[in-house]
Amino acid sequence: LFHDRNGWCPYSERVWLAMMEKRLDFDEVLINLQSGKPAWYSDVVGTSQTPAIRLSNGRVVYDSARILDFLDSEFPAHPLLPSDPALIRSAHELSAAFSKVMPSGARPSSRGAFLFGG
């Protein structure tokens, strides 16, 4: 998993949390987003986006939503979403609505404190 070393990127954090929830064994490569991504990173991830995952076969998946979908399809144990299509749509709608009320750059782990004044 290539992700932000300072934990400022909510997209990186949600992929890290999902991989932990799925109990996957993975290595982390921390990328400094504050001072610019290293030149080698563009060679590994053509878009230079974080987060990204590189599989043992060399395939790279980037964009947190695509990564989450990939993880659920390739590693079905400990699913991130319910199996009912209607509930999956509801989960995606809730996620989209939740993202609209959060301040830019807020971390997922800080959302509870933001919403509930903690």
Side-chain angles (χ1 to χ4, degrees):
L1 169 63
F2 298 99
H3 66 98
D4 174 26
R5 77 167 193 180
N6 297 311
W8 299 115
C9 176
Y11 306 106
S12 291
E13 187 174 27
R14 77 177 181 170
V15 170
W16 180 82
L17 288 168
M19 292 178 82
M20 296 297 289
E21 176 65 23
K22 288 186 143 307
R23 299 171 181 90
L24 299 176
D25 184 28
F26 62 97
D27 294 322
E28 295 178 73
V29 178
L30 304 177
I31 306 295
N32 185 352
L33 299 181
Q34 304 303 315
S35 63
K37 296 172 187 145
W40 62 263
Y41 189 65
S42 295
D43 294 334
V44 175
V45 180
T47 64
S48 295
Q49 285 183 294
T50 57
I53 59 172
R54 182 172 50 191
L55 308 172
S56 59
N57 66 5
R59 179 179 173 202
V60 173
V61 181
Y62 59 91
D63 180 79
S64 63
R66 287 180 52 206
I67 293 170
L68 295 180
D69 288 342
F70 172 82
L71 293 175
D72 249 2
S73 68
E74 295 296 314
F75 304 98
H78 312 289
L80 300 172
L81 293 170
S83 58
D84 182 324
L87 292 176
I88 292 172
R89 278 191 305 280
S90 293
H92 286 296
E93 289 168 3
L94 180 60
S95 178
F98 199 56
S99 295
K100 291 178 183 176
V101 299
M102 287 308 301
S104 178
R107 297 174 61 195
S109 58
S110 67
R111 291 178 179 185
F114 172 77
L115 292 174
F116 303 109

